[in-house]
Every structure is written in C-alpha cells, then in structure tokens.
C-alpha cells in the first residue's frame, strides 16, 4: 500500500490530512518501556523489601506497602486532575487572546484599507489623471510602508499621512 508523503507527514505532525478535514488532535503517546519498567522495578523493590524484613514484622511491612501504594495513587490522581485543568485553562486563555488579536488586526487592516481607498478616490476625483496617477503611486508606497510598520510593531513611529 502506498501513501502520499504529504498526508503521512501531516498525520505525523498532527496537521490536516485532507483538504476537507481540520487538524487532527495530537495522539497521546504512551512510552510502554518506561511504564512497564516502572511496574517491574516497583514490584521488585516490594519483593526485596519483603525478604529483608523479619518474619515477625511482615504484617507491618505489607500495611506500609499498601499505605504507600494508596498514597501514591491518590497523589497521582490529584496531580493528573490538576495538570489537565491547568493546561486546559491555559490553552483556552491563549486561544481567546489569539482570536481577539486576530480580530483586532483584521479590523485595523480593514480600517487602513478603507481610509486608503477613500483617499485614492478623492485624489482621482479632484486631480488630473497624470497627477492623480503619480499621487496614487506615492500614496501606495506610503500605505505599503505603513502596513508593514503596523505588522512589525512600529506603528507609533510611523506618522499617518493625510
């Protein structure tokens, strides 16, 4: 079976795999080696502890191991719950800020284009065509520089031509 390399690359990076599909959510990858290794090492430590404790103290050892396992599971559950809520909240805040910034930028760009369009129309209504063409070229250069400065963050330094 052959696969399109761009679709395969998009699937690996979590991007859209088809033109009609949206971005796919990233897969949660479990590192099974670490997972199984931790279980094996934990069980080995419990068994070694079992043999190190004298037979009279083994009941206390089992109680201690069970208390440790219970505490660990409780803490892991709390940490996972908190981590998911914190990450979810942070993602939502970033998405909202990005959406607002995009809407603000689009509104600013539309205002700049409307202003430029009005000024060009005014020039063509009042000036002869040779002069209007030259003025339009000059205004276009100024507009291009102004838009580039706004997107580069230098809008305070650029005077607004009128």
């Amino acid at each position: 079976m052959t696969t399109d390399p761009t679709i395969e690359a998009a699937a690996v990076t979590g991007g859209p795999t088809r033109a009609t599909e949206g971005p796919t959510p990233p897969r949660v990858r479990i590192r099974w080696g670490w997972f199984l290794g931790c279980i094996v090492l934990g069980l080995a430590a419990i068994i070694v502890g079992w043999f190190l404790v004298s037979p009279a103290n083994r009941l206390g050892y089992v109680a201690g191991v069970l208390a440790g396992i219970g505490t660990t599971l409780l803490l892991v559950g709390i940490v996972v719950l908190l981590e998911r809520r914190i990450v979810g909240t942070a993602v939502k805040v970033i998405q909202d800020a990005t959406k607002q910034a995009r809407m603000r930028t689009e509104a600013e760009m539309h205002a700049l284009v409307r202003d430029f369009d009005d000024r060009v129309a005014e020039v063509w209504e009042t000036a002869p065509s040779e002069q209007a063409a030259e003025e339009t070229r000059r205004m276009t250069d100024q507009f291009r520089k102004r838009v580039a400065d706004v997107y580069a963050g230098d809008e305070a330094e650029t005077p607004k031509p009128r």
Side-chain angles (χ1 to χ4, degrees):
M1 178 170 116
T2 60
T3 353
D4 182 10
T6 56
I7 293 174
E8 186 177 347
V12 169
T13 59
T17 57
R18 303 260 187 265
T20 58
E21 296 178 9
T24 58
R27 265 185 38 198
V28 176
R29 299 193 68 199
I30 298 174
R31 299 178 190 262
W32 290 104
W34 279 102
F35 181 74
L36 294 175
C38 288
I39 289 175
V40 168
L41 288 174
L43 289 175
I46 291 171
I47 292 170
V48 167
W50 174 264
F51 289 114
L52 291 176
V53 173
S54 65
N57 294 332
R58 286 197 175 147
L59 186 59
Y61 176 75
V62 170
V65 167
L66 291 176
I69 291 171
T71 304
T72 302
L73 291 174
L74 176 69
L75 290 174
V76 165
I78 290 172
V79 168
V80 168
L81 173 70
L82 288 176
E83 181 266 340
R84 285 187 179 172
R85 292 202 43 144
I86 290 169
V87 168
T89 303
V91 165
K92 185 174 175 152
V93 166
I94 290 170
Q95 285 175 339
D96 290 346
T98 303
K99 182 188 257 181
Q100 289 174 356
R102 183 175 36 251
M103 289 172 34
R104 190 173 46 251
T105 302
E106 287 175 0
E108 290 172 1
M109 190 62 196
H110 287 300
L112 285 171
V113 169
R114 269 193 311 273
D115 179 54
F116 176 72
D117 188 38
D118 292 344
R119 289 187 297 128
V120 168
E122 183 181 307
V123 166
W124 280 93
E125 287 175 2
T126 59
S129 37
E130 286 281 327
Q131 187 180 358
E134 185 59 37
E135 182 67 16
T136 301
R137 277 193 284 281
R138 185 187 63 74
M139 289 170 56
T140 302
D141 288 341
Q142 284 180 347
F143 178 73
R144 188 181 68 237
K145 182 178 179 346
R146 184 172 169 205
V147 168
D149 289 345
V150 166
Y151 277 103
D154 299 337
E155 62 184 278
E157 300 172 11
T158 305
K160 294 182 181 180
R162 197 54 161 125

